[in-house]
Amino acid sequence: MSWQQYVDESLLGTKSVTKAAIHGIDDGAPWATSPGFNVLAKEVDVLRKAFINPDPLYGSGLVVAGTRYIFLRRNGESALYGRKGSETGVCICKTNKTLIIGYYAEGIQPGPCNAVVEKLGDYLREMKF
C-alpha cells in the first residue's frame, strides 16, 4: 500500500478524519497528504519535539497547517491532541519513522478520529515504521 493510500483509505475513507497527512519524522517532509492540508516541516519539528517535552505547547498551543489549536494532552509517547473551539481538532500519532496527523471538522466526534489515527499508528509501529 502506498503512503497516499494510507491517507485516502485508512484515514479519510473511514469518514472519521476530514483531512490527514503522513510526514517523515526526521526531516518533516510530507509522504502523503490530503489536498489543501499543508503541514509545514517546521510544524512537524515542533510536534516531534513535543513528544519528548510537551510543556511549551500548554502555553503556546500547537500549530498544524497554519491553524493554532489548544493543546489538550499527550498520550504517553504515541499521541498528541489539540482542539480549536468546540467543534474541530487534531490528533497526531508518532511512529518510529512518521507523524500521522488527522484533522476532524465540525460534525465529527474527536473519539472516532483519534481511534482511527492511533490504529494506523499502531499498525505502522508493528510494521517497523
Side-chain angles (χ1 to χ4, degrees), residues 3 6 10-11 22 78-79 91-101 113-129:
W3 292 110
Y6 284 121
S10 299
L11 297 171
I22 299 174
S78 65
C91 174
I92 300 100
C93 188
K94 176 182 166 283
T95 71
N96 298 323
K97 297 180 182 181
T98 69
L99 282 183
I100 306 164
I101 304 165
C113 176
N114 297 346
V116 166
V117 173
E118 291 177 39
K119 181 178 178 182
L120 179 57
D122 291 343
Y123 172 77
L124 291 177
R125 277 190 292 277
E126 287 175 18
M127 297 294 112
K128 307 298 183 209
F129 278 99

Side-chain angles (χ1 to χ4, degrees), residues 22-45:
I22 299 174
H23 283 251
I25 200 163
D26 292 329
D27 59 4
W31 292 7
T33 189
S34 301
F37 193 55
N38 301 316
V39 180
L40 303 176
K42 66 181 180 178
E43 295 170 343
V44 172
D45 188 53

Side-chain angles (χ1 to χ4, degrees), residues 1 4 17 34 49 58 60 63-64 70 77 81 96 101 111 114 128:
M1 184 177 278
Q4 192 61 49
V17 178
S34 301
K49 291 176 182 173
Y58 286 107
S60 65
V63 178
V64 174
I70 295 170
E77 293 187 19
Y81 308 96
N96 298 323
I101 304 165
N114 297 346
K128 307 298 183 209

Side-chain angles (χ1 to χ4, degrees), residues 15-18 86-91 102-116:
K15 307 293 186 211
S16 294
V17 178
T18 308
S86 62
E87 297 294 325
T88 65
V90 291
C91 174
Y103 163 83
Y104 60 90
E106 191 172 329
I108 296 176
Q109 294 295 312
C113 176
N114 297 346
V116 166

